[in-house]
Amino acid sequence: MNFVIPDFYPAAAEIFVAVMALVIMLATTFARSIARSLAYYLTQLTLIGAAFVTIATMDGQVSFTFSNMFISDLMGDFLKLVIYFTVATALLYGRGYLADRNIDRPEYYLLSLLMTLGMMVMVTSNHLLPLYIGLEMMSLSLYGMVAFDRDSARSTEAAMKYFVLGALASGLLLYGMSMVYGATGSLELSGIAQSIYHQAANKTVLLFGLVFLLAGIAFKLGVVPFHMWVPDVYQGAPTAVTLMVSSAPKLAAFAMAMRLLVYGLFELAEQWQSMLMFMAVLSIILGNLAAIAQSNIKRMLAYSGISHMGFVLLGLLSGVVDGDRHFALNAYSSAMFYAIAYVIMTLASFGMVLLLSRAGFEAENIDDFKGLNKRSSWFAALMMITMFSMAGIPFFIGFFAKLAVLQAVVAAGYVWLAVLAVLMSVVGAYYYLRVVKMMYFDEPVDTAPLRAPAGVRVLLSANGLAVAVLGLLPQGLMSLCAYALLASL
């Protein structure tokens, strides 16, 4: 009997992370006395190891494995590397916060790793089945992490809201996938694209399926009208978990949108473009206006995130131009650049919130930033850089991210949409500048010194400086995004 040995090479990083998750589970079970430290360091080593495996298997070619269910390309590899860095940074920022509240348990790190594995599967899926499995793996891990502080009624309530709405969104997504399968006869994204191109699909059923798929994507990105969970979960979850929810999953959601809409359903671009436009406009308007009224900085950053994801959608919808591959590449790379820039800024902003928090005190109100310049002029400057960048003020990474997307929108012929986005960004600058005003012009309410491990201080400083340096030299990251997409499209 002849056995065919499958080529696992393109999925080596995913296999490595899955095996290490099992190793950490067993190791922490038998080494209870050092389980917390062991789980943390093994998780960080796993993320570093996964990065090495990803780089070692990166050949710039598009390859498939597991019966074409998984795709290995530069876009997926690049996003996976950013995801590893984001999760590792979030774990480092949040460890002291979790320890102060006695919720620094090994299960947290195991959930973080399983969440990472789910995101990796989402990023590399070429098939609706593993895409859904990866999404559920990520989502279920996040539900557990939001409810991790079992003694907090607020965290439990946030987790329940997240779970119920997430289950509804997953159901809509799965229903949409079943309709797409029924219309095209294929679960493979390339097969779906071929069926639509050759007009072999039932158009009516397909359009209904597209609506449900977009509902699932919108929920994971946290855009209007599926944004209801965002402010409540951001505020209710422990801040270390809020950082995790608000960062890396956005990259996985962007990858899911690219795989489904661009790789699988591009022939329906005229239909999904108008739906994305509707969601983008409402997200930018509601996010910026609602953020003005917030006194809780986690809720403020939640509404801010809704508006930022609206800009990502602007980049995606701008790539639909008849036959102009170069223009589509610019639009999609601008959306990818924006998503990465947003993650870097989010790490810095929530990192500062975690730095100000201590045992028995949650630095959740904007008032807690009053007089920060008198407590630490260095970290006040880093927070100012981050707020300026989020507001889109030159010359920080947030400005160039907005500029790249707006250039793509104008080039696509939607000048009114670019004007609206600029006007709402001007409105949104208010709530960012209010934080800066409190740090530099108000008297401090809390005079306690800022205490954090040296590693956190160094990484947070590097994070804040990256926002500035990547703003001064954005071309490198922009070129990486464009090159990754060029080799994948």
Side-chain angles (χ1 to χ4, degrees), residues 69-128:
M69 284 190 174
F70 287 86
I71 181 172
S72 176
D73 56 14
L74 272 182
M75 184 192 81
D77 290 338
F78 183 51
L79 285 175
K80 283 194 288 186
L81 290 173
V82 180
I83 286 170
Y84 304 147
F85 169 77
T86 303
V87 175
T89 303
L91 289 175
L92 180 62
Y93 285 170
R95 193 184 181 205
Y97 176 93
L98 297 172
D100 287 341
R101 285 145 188 83
N102 199 30
I103 50 175
D104 179 28
R105 294 192 287 271
E107 293 83 3
Y108 179 82
Y109 302 108
L110 185 61
L111 286 173
S112 300
L113 210 54
L114 292 174
M115 176 197 73
T116 305
L117 178 59
M119 290 188 285
M120 294 167 69
V121 172
M122 288 173 66
V123 165
T124 56
S125 290
N126 186 50
H127 194 278
L128 296 181

Side-chain angles (χ1 to χ4, degrees), residues 9 51 53-61 72-74 77-78 81:
Y9 192 74
V53 173
T54 302
I55 293 169
T57 56
M58 191 187 300
D59 56 7
Q61 303 297 316
S72 176
D73 56 14
L74 272 182
D77 290 338
F78 183 51
L81 290 173

Side-chain angles (χ1 to χ4, degrees), residues 325-346:
R325 182 182 175 88
H326 177 71
F327 176 80
L329 176 66
N330 286 340
Y332 297 139
S333 64
S334 72
M336 185 173 171
F337 178 75
Y338 199 106
I340 293 172
Y342 170 73
V343 167
I344 294 171
M345 295 185 294
T346 298

